[in-house]
């Protein structure tokens, strides 16, 4: 019996700590590979696409045909791109690479070119409701050995700002039948945020890597102002300063500031970033393995970015499962132009549902020599937690105009 021939593919939707969509592919010889198909707030759309259109076409295929299978689902559908399509394809691609590693009894990174490094610098989030709360959180994370921290702070006069969650694991999606509405003021934000980084640098010095996310809320001119105002505080990067559908906008910002720019967590294909990369308008590409179509295309994107001096910084929130995070880490390990890996951590329930071999130590994430991706799925435990509808918030300006969240 050939060990690489696919017998079945199953989609499992459950909520161990939060909603996750997991793809389970089984070969005729009994090997099992896992992929993450979670798209926050749109989980069932991806699950339906997988169940009705992609998974039934896998039976009888070889797990080693990742390139052909990927193009079969991307080019063969005619309707290309988009977060639902690419997350679905990405989950299958992840599971196939997981299977290849398990069948060959080697970590996935060995199939991608081998180790380029032994550890991955990681950053996490310091989310404070006010300046005092933010400084306290930065101190806690620094003591926990993080060397890079993304700093977000509540804005005076804005009731609830992006990135400011309650205590514990940050989860922006809110359970219910409609999205929660937030309010926003760009002038209040621009006038306040530089003072936050001034205080962080005074308190913690220059050695700590600091990052910040504007979450696509600024015009190019506003973004250039912020990037210029933050120059004295030497940020590792300034993230998602303006909506990136208009890629030429970033060139305007680059011309006016030397603050490094990162973008791409909502990108789905290389076409979303082609101009940004080839024109060197950014410093870090933030695409993540799961939402970017899997390991197969992510390798191509990283290799394309390398000669332009652009490094990776894969999106790694708690709303992608440990399977997807591990997939990012295997790519991080293998490529030459790795920059940094986002790591927000998981709830105890999520950790129990997805036992994993990767670990955090001294500001870095580490992989072991476990075959495949090195993540298991405790299916019996996870199925105890049923899916609950949840939406990401939406955002309006103070006058009620619909805006970017």
């Amino acid at each position: 019996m050939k060990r690489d021939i696919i017998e079945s593919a199953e989609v499992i939707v459950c909520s161990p700590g939060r909603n996750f969509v997991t793809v389970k592919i089984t070969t005729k010889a009994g090997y099992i590979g896992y992929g993450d198909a979670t798209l926050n707030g749109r989980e069932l759309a991806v699950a339906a696409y997988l169940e009705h259109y992609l998974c039934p076409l896998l039976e009888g295929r070889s797990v080693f045909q990742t390139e052909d299978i990927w193009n079969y689902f991307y080019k063969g559908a005619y309707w290309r791109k988009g977060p639902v399509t690419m997350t679905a394809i990405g989950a299958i691609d992840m599971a196939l690479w997981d299977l290849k590693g398990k069948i060959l009894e080697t970590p996935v990174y060995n199939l991608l070119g081998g180790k380029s490094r032994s550890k991955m610098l990681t950053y996490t989030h310091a989310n404070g409701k006010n300046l005092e709360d933010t400084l306290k959180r930065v101190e806690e994370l620094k003591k926990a050995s993080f060397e890079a921290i993304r700093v977000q702070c509540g804005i005076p006069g804005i009731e609830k700002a992006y990135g400011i969650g309650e205590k514990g694991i940050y989860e922006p999606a809110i359970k219910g039948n409609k999205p929660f509405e937030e309010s926003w003021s760009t002038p209040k934000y621009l006038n306040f945020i530089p003072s936050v980084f001034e205080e962080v640098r005074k308190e913690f010095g220059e050695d700590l890597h600091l990052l910040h996310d504007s979450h696509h809320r600024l015009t190019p001119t506003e973004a250039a102002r912020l990037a210029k105002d933050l120059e004295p505080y030497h940020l590792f990067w300034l993230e998602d300063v303006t909506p990136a559908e208009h890629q030429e906008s970033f060139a305007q910002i680059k011309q006016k500031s030397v603050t490094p720019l990162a973008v791409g967590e909502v990108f789905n294909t290389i076409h979303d970033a082609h101009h940004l990369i080839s024109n060197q308008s950014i410093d870090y590409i933030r695409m993540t393995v799961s939402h970017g179509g899997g390991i197969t295309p992510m390798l191509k994107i990283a290799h394309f970015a390398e000669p332009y001096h652009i490094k990776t910084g894969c999106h790694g929130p708690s709303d992608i499962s440990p399977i997807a995070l591990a997939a990012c880490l295997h790519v991080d390990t293998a490529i030459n132009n790795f920059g940094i890996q986002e790591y927000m951590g998981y709830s105890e329930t999520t950790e129990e549902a997805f036992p994993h071999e990767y670990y955090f130590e001294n500001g870095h994430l580490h992989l072991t020599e476990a075959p495949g991706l090195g993540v298991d799925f405790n299916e019996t435990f996870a199925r105890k937690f049923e899916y609950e509808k949840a939406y990401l918030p939406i955002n309006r300006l103070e006058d009620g105009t619909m805006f970017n969240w």
Side-chain angles (χ1 to χ4, degrees):
M1 181 181 294
K2 290 189 175 181
R3 53 185 180 170
D4 61 304
I5 301 303
I6 297 170
E7 181 172 64
S8 64
E10 183 181 2
V11 181
I12 301 153
V13 182
C14 53
S15 190
R18 69 164 319 282
N19 292 327
F20 290 109
V21 180
T22 305
V23 170
K24 175 184 177 183
I25 299 178
T26 306
T27 71
K28 292 182 181 295
Y31 289 93
I32 297 174
Y34 295 110
D36 179 34
T38 307
L39 184 64
N40 199 350
R42 296 292 186 271
E43 294 91 352
L44 296 186
V46 184
Y49 189 55
L50 282 161
E51 288 175 352
H52 297 291
Y53 298 103
L54 303 190
C55 288
L57 301 178
L58 285 168
E59 185 177 350
R61 299 295 300 266
S62 168
V63 303
F64 291 111
Q65 295 176 320
T66 45
E67 183 71 23
D68 185 69
I69 291 173
W70 192 92
N71 281 284
Y72 181 76
F73 287 139
Y74 181 76
K75 294 179 178 178
Y78 185 70
W79 310 108
R80 303 181 185 184
K81 303 170 63 175
V84 173
T85 294
M86 301 310 291
T87 301
I89 296 174
I92 289 173
D93 189 71
M94 257 184 274
L96 295 178
W97 280 99
D98 189 30
L99 279 164
K100 287 200 283 188
K102 288 173 177 173
I103 291 170
L104 297 174
E105 299 182 352
T106 192
V108 166
Y109 59 74
N110 279 339
L111 306 178
L112 308 179
K115 279 189 174 184
S116 287
R117 60 195 48 79
S118 59
K119 59 184 180 180
M120 279 68 69
L121 178 66
T122 185
Y123 75 93
T124 194
H125 299 192
N127 302 324
K129 294 182 179 180
N130 51 47
L131 180 56
E132 181 182 4
D133 191 28
T134 299
L135 293 173
K136 180 180 178 181
R137 183 60 179 150
V138 172
E139 183 178 20
E140 291 172 351
L141 293 172
K142 189 171 184 291
K143 288 181 178 178
S145 82
F146 281 97
E147 299 176 9
I149 300 172
R150 197 189 83 173
V151 178
Q152 307 293 131
C153 185
I155 311 299
I158 300 179
E159 182 179 353
K160 183 174 174 57
Y162 161 74
I164 313 304
E166 301 300 323
K167 295 292 183 182
I169 302 300
Y170 173 60
E171 171 55 73
I174 299 169
K175 293 176 181 178
N177 291 317
K178 64 180 181 179
F180 177 81
E181 294 193 12
E182 297 179 359
S183 181
W184 180 252
S185 168
T186 299
K188 291 175 182 176
Y189 167 78
L190 289 175
N191 290 335
F192 178 69
I193 281 297
S195 67
V196 173
F197 284 89
E198 181 180 16
E199 291 301 316
V200 172
R201 281 296 183 215
K202 284 181 181 178
E203 185 78 20
F204 301 102
E206 291 290 335
D207 291 338
L208 195 63
H209 297 302
L210 300 180
L211 304 86
H212 181 67
D213 184 0
S214 297
H215 227 237
H216 312 104
R217 295 187 177 186
L218 308 178
T219 65
T221 299
E222 292 166 343
R225 170 189 161 184
L226 179 62
K228 192 72 177 175
D229 287 347
L230 292 175
E231 280 184 0
Y233 313 116
H234 309 132
L235 267 61
F236 187 97
W237 78 36
L238 181 59
E239 177 185 342
D240 291 350
V241 284
T242 194
E245 287 93 339
H246 187 61
Q247 297 185 29
E248 291 83 354
S249 296
F250 281 78
Q252 300 179 42
I253 305 166
K254 265 289 184 186
Q255 291 169 3
K256 298 171 183 175
S257 172
V258 295
T259 297
L261 301 177
V263 75
E265 69 181 59
V266 299
F267 290 175
N268 309 127
T269 73
I270 185 59
H271 307 291
D272 297 319
H274 181 272
H275 182 92
L276 289 166
I277 292 172
S278 61
N279 287 273
Q280 296 179 281
S281 299
I282 57 173
D283 301 275
Y284 295 89
I285 179 66
R286 294 266 294 126
M287 287 179 67
T288 196
V289 171
S290 55
H291 302 151
I295 291 172
T296 297
M298 192 66 206
L299 282 173
K300 297 174 183 179
I301 292 162
H303 294 326
F304 174 60
E306 184 179 352
Y308 295 101
H309 308 287
I310 294 167
K311 296 183 177 181
T312 63
C314 286
H315 190 43
S318 51
D319 55 36
I320 62 173
S321 83
I323 298 169
L325 178 61
C328 291
L329 291 174
H330 282 270
V331 173
D332 296 342
T333 297
I335 60 175
N336 181 261
N337 57 324
F338 166 76
I340 198 168
Q341 176 62 55
E342 183 177 24
Y343 175 57
M344 294 178 65
Y346 296 99
S347 69
E348 291 182 3
T349 305
T350 299
E351 294 277 4
E352 187 170 349
F354 298 94
H356 52 78
E357 291 287 332
Y358 68 78
Y359 62 95
F360 173 81
E361 184 178 84
N362 296 327
H364 293 74
L365 285 163
H366 302 254
L367 289 173
T368 69
E369 296 184 1
L373 293 175
V375 182
D376 203 354
F377 180 46
N378 188 342
E379 186 176 339
T380 301
F381 173 79
R383 285 185 181 276
K384 295 178 182 178
F385 303 90
E386 294 184 359
Y387 167 84
E388 296 181 67
K389 183 184 288 186
Y391 285 94
L392 290 171
I394 61 174
N395 196 32
R396 295 183 183 274
L397 299 179
E398 291 181 312
D399 67 357
T401 303
M402 193 68 200
F403 200 53
N404 304 303
W405 184 80

